[in-house]
Amino acid sequence: MSEHTIAGKKVAFLLTDGVEQIELTSPWDAVKEAGGEPTLVAPKDGKLQGYDGTEKGETFDVDLAVDQARASDFDALVIPGGVVNADHLRVHKGAQDFVRGFFEQHKPVASICHGPWLLIDAGVVSGRNVTSYHTLQTDLKNAGANWSDEEVVVDQGLVTSRNPHDLPAFNSKLLEEIAEGEHAGQTA
């Protein structure tokens, strides 16, 4: 059980086909175990295909279409990685708007691996301290972020990590930031 209780807190998980499934399931389970209520938000209805590296994994049921979702209905946002997942989400206007809403409302956002690509296109990384999968560092730096190679970086409610090996630290900081609530420095 987590040292942080987030009982009753609603947490959106934004993803699409190609998600790295452990980067969805591990934080999802951590949120549930801490008393939170996770919701899978996606650009399409139905089922999404998860991946374990390059191999097809499980499928996941979508709870809510991103175009129907509002940041105001949630307490926090998690953006899992996966190259295909992140590449498709980053160009989806509804996904960009949904992410920006969390920053505008000063709510915690956590993103791992390739997930921070979406943060770039949502226009929310300039001046922020972040990490990601190493291949995204140039993109993040070019967008104005301060990138570093650390297992987890926390900046005013924004939690980022590099890869699945960082999930224990990522999950711990995710729950801590949700428990703390809104952060004045978390802005778009």
Side-chain angles (χ1 to χ4, degrees):
M1 185 75 181
S2 166
E3 64 185 86
H4 301 287
T5 301
I6 58 168
K9 300 277 187 170
K10 295 180 180 178
V11 181
F13 282 73
L14 178 60
L15 59 136
T16 193
D17 290 312
V19 67
E20 182 66 38
Q21 89 178 27
I22 192 69
E23 294 172 1
L24 164 62
T25 59
S26 178
W28 182 283
D29 291 344
V31 164
K32 285 182 75 168
E33 288 171 14
E37 301 172 16
T39 300
L40 197 156
V41 179
K44 67 176 192 169
D45 293 325
K47 291 188 177 291
L48 299 178
Q49 181 64 57
Y51 278 79
D52 182 6
T54 58
E55 301 295 318
K56 279 188 177 181
E58 298 173 40
T59 58
F60 302 95
D61 294 322
V62 174
D63 296 315
L64 182 63
V66 73
D67 293 333
Q68 304 301 311
R70 295 188 317 263
S72 59
D73 293 336
F74 296 95
D75 298 292
L77 172 65
V78 177
I79 306 167
V83 177
V84 173
N85 169 61
D87 196 43
H88 288 141
L89 280 180
R90 71 183 301 196
V91 298
H92 190 278
K93 177 129 176 49
Q96 295 169 10
D97 292 343
F98 187 58
V99 168
R100 201 171 308 105
F102 283 87
F103 285 83
E104 290 168 349
Q105 296 171 33
H106 314 291
K107 294 179 178 181
V109 174
S111 186
I112 187 167
C113 200
H114 286 80
W117 256 345
L118 176 54
L119 301 177
I120 293 169
D121 287 280
V124 295
V125 295
S126 184
R128 301 303 295 271
N129 298 316
V130 300
T131 193
S132 67
Y133 193 71
H134 67 94
T135 60
L136 274 64
Q137 68 177 297
T138 300
D139 293 345
L140 285 158
K141 288 175 182 177
N142 286 342
N146 304 311
W147 188 91
S148 60
D149 186 12
E150 300 175 54
E151 78 175 345
V152 65
V153 173
V154 181
D155 182 355
Q156 294 291 315
L158 175 60
V159 178
T160 52
S161 284
R162 302 170 301 190
N163 58 54
H165 297 292
D166 299 336
L167 280 165
F170 178 77
N171 292 344
S172 177
K173 288 299 185 180
L174 161 68
L175 296 177
E176 180 180 329
E177 296 305 298
I178 296 171
E180 289 176 4
E182 295 179 7
H183 293 71
Q186 176 77 311
T187 59

